[in-house]
Amino acid sequence: MTQRHIYPFTFGDMSQKDLLGGKGANLAEMVRIGLPVPPGFTIATTACREYLKTGKFPEGLRKEISDSLAALEKELGKTFGGVKNPLLVSVRSGAKFSMPGMMETVLNVGITPEVAQSMADSSGNARFAWDSYRRFIEMYGKIVCDVEAEEFHKVQTRVLAAHKTTNLQDLDVEGLKALADGFIKVIEVATGKEFPTDPREHLIDSIEAVFRSWNSERATLYRRRELIPSDLGTAVNIQSMVFGNLSDDSGTGVAFTRNPSNGEIGSYGDYLQKAQGEDVVAGIRTPMSLDEFGVIEPRVHGELEKIMVMLEAHYKDLCDIEFTIERGKLYILQTRVGKRTAEAAFRIALQFVDEGTITMDEAIGRTSGDQLAMLMFPQFDTRGNLVEIARGIPASPGAAVGEAVFDSKRAFDLSKAGKKVILVRRETSPDDLVGMVAAEGILTSRGGKTSHAAVVARGMGKTAICGTDSISVDERANLFTVGTHTVYEGDIISIDGTTGVVYLGAVPVVASSVTSYLEGRVSAETDEASPVVKAVHRILTHADSRRKLNVRTNADTPEDAIRARILGAQGVGLCRTEHMFLGERRSYVERLVLAENEDVQRGVIAEMEPLQRADFVGIMMAMSGLPVTIRLLDPPLHEFLPSLVDLSSQMARSEALGEEIPARDKALFAAVRRLHESNPMLGLRGVRLGILIPELYKMQVRALVHASLEVKKLGHDPKPEVMIPLVSTQRELLYLRETLEEEIVQTFKGTNQVIDMPIGTMIETPRAAITADRLGVHADFFSFGTNDLTQLTWAFSRDDVESTFLPRYLDLELLPFNPFESLDQAGVGILVRQAAELSRTVRSDFKLGVCGEHGGDPRSIHFFHELGLDYVSCSPFRVPIARLESGRAAVAK
């Protein structure tokens, strides 16, 4: 039996978006509740999927189209392609998820010169008829025949000049006919074929074009950005035409039931007299507001207002409505839940709560962490005359203005002197941290959304644009070039981390009131608080009351810990102690690793201990009463040792010039060559370093004990936890745990005090995940290091793949998303799930957390909630986002 692919608008409801697409399901819903919808039918998404797979219509679809067209003709008393009472239709896309403007529409299908003349005679308005014909020819040429828009523009320019006008609206009937004839000639030249005259051929061609538009470049990019699956396909809606361009009491418009820009109550939209829908979108004429429309058409405006109220009450949400008026009669062409800004999302959700339409649980489900992030970052005021010079990957949102600086140390010095700087690099490394901290923002010509610059910038709440490959950075000459522009050190640039745009000169910045509230500088309880601040406060408060996941932070400094606590963090889930030895302290790790013997090592370790102790005191003071998880040193050697390539070059140069090479340089070169690793991320790091140099980890727990005692003496409540990195085997963990426990006991001895100090491990290797029950016997807690777990599961080098093949994989949709941005639940997620289940066979209340980059990713947080983990840990700036998403996960159905 042949599968059915077509359904009339009288079939179905808004729940059937999988089959009918969003537009088709909403059309069916509006018909069901009795709204004035022009009749039509929907070609289901199943037909599109088969067409895209085989390159041809499914069996029986052409007959279904013919039968459905016949039924529509009978219902309306019109004939498709007929001269008497002609039926014209629109052919519109309609995917399950709204993709506004991403796919194609063809209007006035069914019109021919004979039909146009008939419409001219019956309407008494020849211009309307031939304008409709002209519109169809142009749309058919662009969408079906892929003729460049510029070719039609050339014809239009010639015809307008011949008729001594510059405005299409002023063309008379003969001018419109000449324009249509010129368009047809362009199409025939481009296709090498005579223009078809059969309306049924036009209809079939238009349907195929809409199917194909599912895979257009813009639709593909939009799906990727919105994480919409590529295999859904689009439905196609065939709807009988109503004509807003027929008469003075005709027109078309778009209405929103509330303001989608700022969330204010009251209808919002545009209306154009004597126009078709494309005119509103194209912006070729200035529309009037709905209030102005109400003055000239009060009766119809009143009808529209009633329908808007009805639709909003029915959908219980902001509705976006397209409507057309034909000779004073109102028709609703489509509706959907309207897209809105982040501010509008928060405000509208609470308006519906206050009106008794939805619950607070539903309200937090209508906001998102991504929207909250947008509200937290400062934004540029782009209303002035701006000079855009480049675009890159928007890696960390926000707006930053400053002098371009090409060296981290210089960025630090200039910042200390009171100047605002933008750090510009080809790419950043851990040694750039001092400059990144000092800079207002970071701009790189290489790297992606999870490159070093991006990850660190997000963690610090710094604006960043990465992968700006149109700029050529010359770090020696302290300049970058792009096109005809050369930007020298000291020149002012502005970078927009939300859009990825780089501007020349200073762009004014609009501060975020939401960030001021979250950081405690503005109260939400005062009358002066903005509506969006009050909305964010209510939403976050409810999310906190509903969430099961605790939210900790990744903090390596007291300043990070203080900020995170203000933002709502419930402890530190990851303190990366190796980050405490970057910048000026980098030499300690270098000397430790290159030490010639154990005595030298002990000397370096002794120098490191007071530094560690002071750092720990500051962080635990900031987090008094809350857990602080200290990850023992995990330094990939390539981040701390001199480059072997650079040293080899220096040695070769000195030998070639006959220069004497100092003994220290020779020793350094020999040591670096001995310790050089082809893949440092898989080499001497984490637990392996602690086993090779046990005094190092013993020093760290000793410093932690002393710091805890000092914090307690000062009247605070330290809650330290020790975390061992990169463990893979039970024996590794047991060996180090016994070593560390003995050191902790010895350090407390004689103090007459004991502070509980749980010892756990990270789960960041696949072997650790699948043997979690064995590791769990010797661990007090696990924390999933999803960055390394992703890297090791995929066999991806995170530092390399984003600049090589990963963008191509994403372009080809071989990967639906970057697995370093959002957890790969179908792969890495299985390991996380398995480890969680195994660990809780050891103890039902085994404490589990996440401290990788995914701990702040909204989609990943929902997965961690589903697994029943105890907490997520993320960068300070993302703490409010994780709080909201954890609440949303708890109330999600």
Side-chain angles (χ1 to χ4, degrees), residues 59 88 126 155 181 203 268 292 333 349 374 425 428 474 508 530 794 822:
E59 183 181 353
L88 272 59
V155 174
D181 288 342
L203 178 61
Y268 174 99
E292 292 171 313
L333 303 186
M374 293 177 70
R425 305 283 288 166
T428 64
D474 188 334
S530 67
W794 278 91
S822 191

Side-chain angles (χ1 to χ4, degrees), residues 419-695:
K419 295 197 173 183
K420 295 184 182 297
V421 299
I422 303 294
L423 180 63
V424 183
R425 305 283 288 166
R426 290 195 189 94
E427 68 270 318
T428 64
S429 71
D431 279 346
D432 288 313
L433 193 62
V434 63
M436 297 174 75
V437 170
E440 301 297 305
I442 299 105
L443 172 64
T444 70
S445 60
R446 299 174 185 167
K449 286 185 177 178
T450 56
S451 64
H452 177 267
V455 171
V456 174
R458 282 196 294 272
M460 296 187 296
K462 295 280 184 181
T463 299
I465 301 176
C466 299
T468 317
D469 54 15
S470 62
I471 72 173
S472 177
V473 178
D474 188 334
E475 292 170 355
R476 290 187 176 182
N478 295 325
L479 60 82
F480 74 81
T481 57
V482 53
T484 59
H485 298 282
T486 299
V487 174
Y488 298 94
E489 180 148 313
D491 289 348
I492 301 294
I493 59 173
S494 302
I495 62 172
D496 189 333
T498 304
T499 63
V501 177
V502 183
Y503 299 99
L504 193 61
V507 176
V509 172
V510 181
S512 165
S513 60
V514 170
T515 297
S516 297
Y517 151 68
L518 291 170
E519 292 182 342
R521 299 194 302 272
V522 172
S523 170
E525 308 292 343
T526 63
D527 292 337
E528 290 75 25
S530 67
V532 69
V533 163
K534 292 179 179 180
V536 168
H537 171 72
R538 288 179 61 190
I539 290 287
L540 265 183
T541 300
H542 187 71
D544 285 337
S545 74
R546 298 291 279 145
R547 61 187 169 88
K548 307 298 183 187
L549 282 168
N550 284 335
V551 177
R552 299 194 195 179
T553 190
N554 302 340
D556 312 323
T557 66
E559 293 75 20
D560 280 349
I562 291 168
R563 187 181 190 204
R565 184 160 191 165
I566 292 170
L567 291 170
Q570 295 165 291
V572 172
L574 175 65
C575 176
R576 296 158 290 203
T577 53
E578 65 276 5
H579 281 196
M580 298 171 173
F581 291 95
L582 292 171
E584 294 177 357
R585 295 185 183 179
R586 180 175 181 264
S587 62
Y588 287 98
V589 177
E590 180 181 315
R591 288 164 52 208
L592 177 72
V593 174
L594 299 178
E596 298 172 359
N597 54 57
E598 290 184 4
D599 289 338
V600 176
Q601 281 185 347
R602 287 194 185 95
V604 177
I605 289 170
E607 293 179 50
M608 296 170 72
E609 186 168 343
L611 301 174
Q612 285 277 263
R613 179 174 172 173
D615 290 332
F616 295 156
V617 166
I619 291 171
M620 286 192 290
M621 291 272 284
M623 286 290 173
S624 178
L626 296 173
V628 174
T629 305
I630 302 295
R631 183 178 75 184
L632 302 179
L633 273 163
D634 181 20
L637 295 187
H638 70 291
E639 294 183 3
F640 289 88
L641 297 181
S643 164
L644 178 62
V645 173
D646 290 347
L647 288 178
S648 298
S649 176
Q650 291 170 16
M651 296 291 285
R653 180 179 178 278
S654 296
E655 288 176 356
L657 295 174
E659 296 176 347
E660 183 177 351
I661 302 173
R664 183 191 176 281
D665 289 357
K666 288 181 179 179
L668 177 64
F669 177 62
V672 169
R673 187 165 54 183
R674 174 173 52 85
L675 292 169
H676 174 70
E677 297 174 326
S678 298
N679 193 334
M681 299 304 288
L682 300 179
L684 181 59
R685 52 173 291 214
V687 65
R688 301 155 196 165
L689 186 65
I691 290 172
L692 202 66
I693 311 176
E695 290 301 320

Side-chain angles (χ1 to χ4, degrees), residues 632 682-692 697 724-740 759-762 764-765 767-768 771 774-775 778-779:
L632 302 179
L682 300 179
L684 181 59
R685 52 173 291 214
V687 65
R688 301 155 196 165
L689 186 65
I691 290 172
L692 202 66
Y697 279 8
I724 303 171
L726 211 68
V727 166
S728 291
T729 75
Q730 190 178 22
R731 292 187 180 187
E732 281 178 323
L733 180 56
L734 178 59
Y735 174 85
L736 264 183
R737 182 180 182 111
E738 290 178 341
T739 301
L740 299 178
I759 298 176
T761 183
M762 295 186 77
E764 48 192 337
T765 71
R767 192 182 194 283
T771 60
R774 299 180 200 172
L775 295 176
H778 305 295

